[in-house]
Amino acid sequence: MLYKNMQSTDSEAGVAQRPRQNYVGQRVLRVENPPLLRGHGLFIDDMPVKAGTLHAAILRSPHAHAEILSIDVTDAISLPGVRAVVTGQDVAAMTDPLIVGFATPMRYHGIAVDRVRYVGEPVAIVCASDRYLAEDALDHIRVEYRPLPAVVDPIAAAASDAPILHPAVGSNVVSYREFRHGETDKAFAEAKRRSEIVITYPRNSITPIEGYAVVAEHLLDSGGYDVISNFQGPFSLHPVMARALRIPGNRLRHRSPPNSGGSFGSKLALFPYIVILCIASRLAGRPVKWIEDRLEHLAAASAAPNRVTRIEAAYDDDGIVSALRLKHWDDHGAYLRAPMPAPIYRMHGLSTNAYGIKHVDVFNHILVTNKCPTGAVRGFGGPQLYFAVERMMHTIAGELKLDPLELIRRNLIPAGSFPYRAPAGALIDSGDYQRLIDETVSGGGLDELRQRRDTARRQGKLYGIGFAVVVEPSQSNMGYISTLKTGIERERSGQKDGAVAAATVSMDPLGTVSVVADSVPQGQGHQTALAQIVADQLGVKIEDVVVNLEIDTQKDGWSIAAGNYSCRFAPAVASATHLAAVRLREKLARIAASSLNVPPDNVEFADRKVFARDNAENWLSLHRVAGQAHWSPASLPDGMAPALRESVTWSAPELTPTSARDEINTSLAYGFGFDFCGIEIARETGEIRIDKYVTSHDCGTILNPGLADGQIHGSFAAAIGASLYEEFSYGEDGSFLSGTFADYLVATAAEMPKLDILHPVQSPSPFTRLGAKGIAEGNQYSTPVCLANAVADALGRGDITVPLKPAKILEWISGDEAKSRSVAAKASPKGSSINGEGLAYVAGDPQTVWSALLNENGLRAAIPGCERLERVGENAFKATVTLGVGPVKGSFKADIGLSDLDEPRSAVLKGVLSGLLGTASGTGLLTLVPQNGGCRIDYRYEIHLSGQAAMVGGRMVNAAARRLINEFFLRFAASLGEVNRAGTSLPSWRARIKSLFGAQQ
Amino acid sequence: MQVLKQSERHRVRFTLNGERVEGLAEPRMLLTDFIRHEIGATGTHVGCEHGICGACTIRVNGKAVRACLMLAVQAEGKEIETVEGLAAKDGTLSALQAAFHRNFALQCGYCTPGFLMSLVDYLEKNPNPTEADIRIALSGNLCRCTGYAEIVNAALEAAREIQALSASK
Amino acid sequence: MKPANFDYARCERVESALDLLAEHGDDARIIAGGQSLMAMLNMRLVRPSIVVDIASLDELAYVKEAAGYVEFGATVTQAAAEAWPALRKRVPLVAAALPHIGHFQTRNRGTICGSLCHADPSSELPLCLATLGGDVVLRSRRKKRVVGALDFQIGLLSTAKQPDEMMVAARYPAARSGWGYAFREISRRHGDFAIVALAAVVGDGKIRLGVGGVDDKPAVHEWDDMDDDSLADALNDFAWDLGGGDDIHATARYRREMVRRLGKKVIGEARQCRS
């Protein structure tokens, strides 16, 4: 489908010069653009603040799991410019825990109180006169931690012997529910065929380029707080914040800035920061501003839950699937924070995707692990679910030697059966999946792509084609999260359903229009779309409409559903605004009707005029009608309220509460997407080249194709990231390893393949006022699994995980690695725990070496950069050391202990270091073997690094640690008089070390 | 040679979009913070402060650079151009800005100043780029909203327009 | 994410920089382009007491042809080197490697010598210098000395530069007639740090291969020219000798495979382009 920009007289406004304009459906240029293009946007950090506003910096945990033994802020508070240092104890004393959607003894305050549970968790807040000074003060807060074992894998976390994050909960599985829709067990028992696969879906986010930002001010006079932040909603979190702050809801005034630099779900999870910064402001007695930096965002903002799903399918020889069984382990990181675990429940009603499958059972384990807590990420539960379902369809096709697309077609919900009630409760409003697929196959060139695959394969290339279909939900039912409760619990806590949208359309006495609605956009073009809708209704030009979406919770209409998430805009906000505009139009028509001397039904609006339908010469200017409403209430028709302001709140009746059988219509409108792609894998490098990618969408009525396609392109790019590049990586010890944009890899223009977008079918939603459905998330669902299916097709392999890193793919396609005839294979160091072994030859018999090891002087001489070392107990020492590589150096406090002593044969040496660069804990087993009159020390070690250096130095930190270990033994050997392998003393250890480690000695 | 002492604020003067500006900065103050909060030109945005996202791209003496990888004191005496200087004084958008507008090449607009400044510099030196050239030239700017497709289209369209304009002169 | 405090000195003469280095030693950091240093300052990984800015030292902003080598002064940016008209002819390896370094915006400020001093194990310019067997020129108030690339970069982010020394120039051996030079790298995205970078020099009956990103510093191996089978064995041995490590982007095995596979390719390319 081709769209042309609407011609414009004014190049910026993009206004059509047509007598009866119809903006909706046109590629109207964005009204948001001009200030943004000129550098006049107003993002929070661009806005002025009150004089005296303090700047916050946040001290964050270097540990994945540790008890906080003490926090000493004395030095920090005494630094110049520092006004307050706030700890978790302060916050806990002044707030209640942030609640989630079900009763749980888990306590979450947004800041660690007595225990840290993930790397990056806030531990203290410094409020100072500028950000530089605030960060300086962080260096002077002394926190004593006692590290605890960490768990990062969801399956391991569910095991009975796993370290428990929240002792009060008693298990890392904080919620478990079983859902049975239909007769799944019976269907499986009767099925001719069954398949089962396990999929894992990684952690990612879409990391907006603008991070979180909050300015919070405690209002001493009212006891309330005035907050401006780029929080995106849902405003169901407003009462969560107000309750945590122990204030009435109306005393928490929250305002949104004019611009927000992207969110993609992320800016939902900034609400805990609002709470802790409110407290910081209260304690500091000044407004406090916090601008999250990139390192903070990557480590500690939010992520989509990673998930393990075991999916089973029951089907017959024709590939007709009768039942699915889904067992999910959904990993939410260290705390569940509202509205988590919403993603899994948002998709619950759609557990059978686009298929007419009758029976489905779903088993949801909601888990906590020592990772950053989760939040909303564009796609919100869909990528995880559809990865499992669509991989399964591909697997079944493979089992039956059927073309995957043929298998998909056989199972689709039949055309003509909409609205269709899926077994888990989704009421899929409209669609024609078969026709969309048919037209996409022909319009997108699938036959040609198949030929390309055949040719490529004949040439010996690894080429694959993948498919995916997805149902794309939009506008969430605010009741769906209650599905995680049992029916009895739901009854007890009260029914939840619906989703309110609010909009106000006003006309001033000059006939121009103002619109306020409860969306909090981050660039989606909502101002443009609402202006289109309203201008069409009122017959004004688009530049006559000003849309202000800066919600002020004290002044604007909003409800718990307000905000920008789960594709709420097109079904909900657009509907409410449309209704408000229609009501205003009806009122204007009634006012104008008497002057035009026609019935109100015959009044038309266009070109800033009102007309008699049958006589275009019979008209009034709109501003005249508007003026009458403002200037002369007495002249208005009987019973009509004066002035021109229509406020509408709207909720769709189809959003019913969870049924007694746990069926839930999670969303109001359901779009449909179908993707296919061709990929080639380079045998040499394992890299994937996307040869062709076609995505086809039915999102009902398209309000503005420029905006809609922008959402598709954007979602596709984020999905390419999730499929090929992006992952929040954690070590087994919970250390965080993707702390910079050089580690968390976002696709750039150079990586993006061409995308063919098709809209062959538009099935308007019967449940939304304009027939519009969401469009922003479809490719989050379809693209990762479509690419995975293509890789599976290329490789003939079942187990495909994303991101599809070349190193992983190369191992899939290569046999065993070539051995070397002359070079012994080294054990390659693995992952974040750094393992290694080595040996050192030392002059002196084992007894001498033993004594040196247990002696302050021996250790002092051996530890690189040791500045101070003292004995603090039997075989226990404290030291201060300066360690690093090249210019990257830091001072560390070290606790060193020797245990498992078997004199003079072996000992275990343990060290825990902590400093500004992070923490390291290491264990080494030392074995002393007499040799040639001297002694050989065999050592094996394992080190865990966490904190700043591990986060940002991923490429180098392991090598640096290994180097320092080896240096320890070299120095130890040297202090005793090192001997070479033949047993001759080396003249100068300094020369040796110098040659190895450079000129730093 | 003068050593500028830490914890003291020192005068920094430069030309910003053709106008002389000055302000005070500690030696460690980043140029991004100085331009935004001392001078008040907030069009240049901050996205990563480690030189990868490109949101803070500006031109210094006619070359596109990362403002987060420069100190304010290093800008002394330089000619600096930012997004605020792209449109004509009367607000008329430049060919590149207009192409962004026409092509839906921005959504949230946070990264846009960086893209514009990178492209202004690149197109000035490479007036006739291919799509592949543009994609590589833009690989140092991250956008999370648009998927880049419309940005690349806008850049190509602007390049053609600038070419035609200079040919007609 | 703001730097810790430091003093700042803008040097107009080399001597003033050397004076400051003599005075402050290891507590001083030279900044030229700052494309690595600034990120480390912002993350507070590096906390110098003084930053010595040499960016405006025009006397070091030169590219000079000398007998057998091309000398880049300390303030020559990567972009300026790219724009030097004779680059492709005189040091084709550097010409091939430069576009892989970051992005054009970072090359506009980043310098050749700064990259050598930073000594990132994945960096392209140290790899080229090591493979070509070039030199760096170090100056202090005490003396001026010329150090070979392999002696200069001694490990991870570590060089033989003494705390009072400053690199004033780098000397890349000029292309020799009849020799071939080729460069390749594999990274996740355009402009990323190399997972493995390879530089090959073929000439005078020898093959020299430099590998970056696998060991703590560029590793260079030289063989007599040989047939493909023997070369495969030699590359395999070299790969195992280097070992490599895992990180979140690639495994040790992947790095070894790239040494084998891309090593063969890059050597082939160097053979092809012998002039």
Side-chain angles (χ1 to χ4, degrees), chain A residues 132 135-136 139 293 295 683-685 687 724-725 729 737 741-743 745-746 751 805-807 810 814-815 817-823 825-826 828-830 886-889 916-917 948 955-956 959-960 963 998-999, chain C residues 1-3 5 26 29 40 43-47 120-122 154 156-158 162 186-190 192-193 216 233 236-237 240-242 244-254 256-258 260-262 265:
Chain A
Y132 291 76
E135 290 193 19
D136 289 347
D139 296 348
D293 70 32
L295 302 188
R683 285 187 190 275
E684 194 107 76
T685 61
E687 290 172 301
L724 304 182
Y725 301 103
S729 299
L737 306 174
F741 263 159
D743 306 292
L745 304 181
V746 174
E751 281 73 48
K805 297 183 187 180
L810 199 75
S814 306
E817 185 177 5
K819 295 278 174 275
S820 167
R821 279 193 293 270
S822 51
V823 183
K826 295 176 193 168
S828 43
K830 286 272 176 206
V888 183
K889 285 196 290 277
L916 298 178
L917 290 174
Q948 178 90 338
R955 289 180 307 122
M956 286 183 245
R963 208 180 96 174
Chain C
M1 204 178 156
K2 310 292 181 189
N5 259 321
D26 215 17
R29 302 305 310 169
M40 294 201 298
M43 294 180 195
R44 298 194 178 208
L45 293 173
V46 181
R47 295 165 183 248
D120 187 302
S122 299
I154 53 181
L156 212 58
L157 306 181
S158 305
Q162 295 296 312
I186 186 154
S187 58
R188 291 302 323 276
R189 298 173 306 175
H190 188 87
D192 275 344
F193 289 105
D216 287 359
D233 284 344
N236 188 29
D237 287 351
W240 278 113
D241 201 37
L242 291 170
D246 290 350
D247 63 20
I248 60 173
H249 304 302
T251 57
R253 176 180 176 182
Y254 189 74
R256 292 192 295 268
E257 294 286 11
M258 291 306 107
R260 293 181 192 105
R261 297 170 183 210
L262 300 185
K265 284 206 157 174

Side-chain angles (χ1 to χ4, degrees), chain C residues 180-222:
Chain C
Y181 305 85
F183 185 90
R184 254 181 187 259
E185 77 171 48
I186 186 154
S187 58
R188 291 302 323 276
R189 298 173 306 175
H190 188 87
D192 275 344
F193 289 105
I195 291 173
V196 177
L198 303 113
V201 178
V202 174
D204 210 12
K206 304 272 189 201
I207 301 169
R208 203 182 313 148
L209 181 69
V211 174
V214 184
D215 203 354
D216 287 359
K217 56 177 185 168
V220 180
H221 205 298
E222 189 174 271

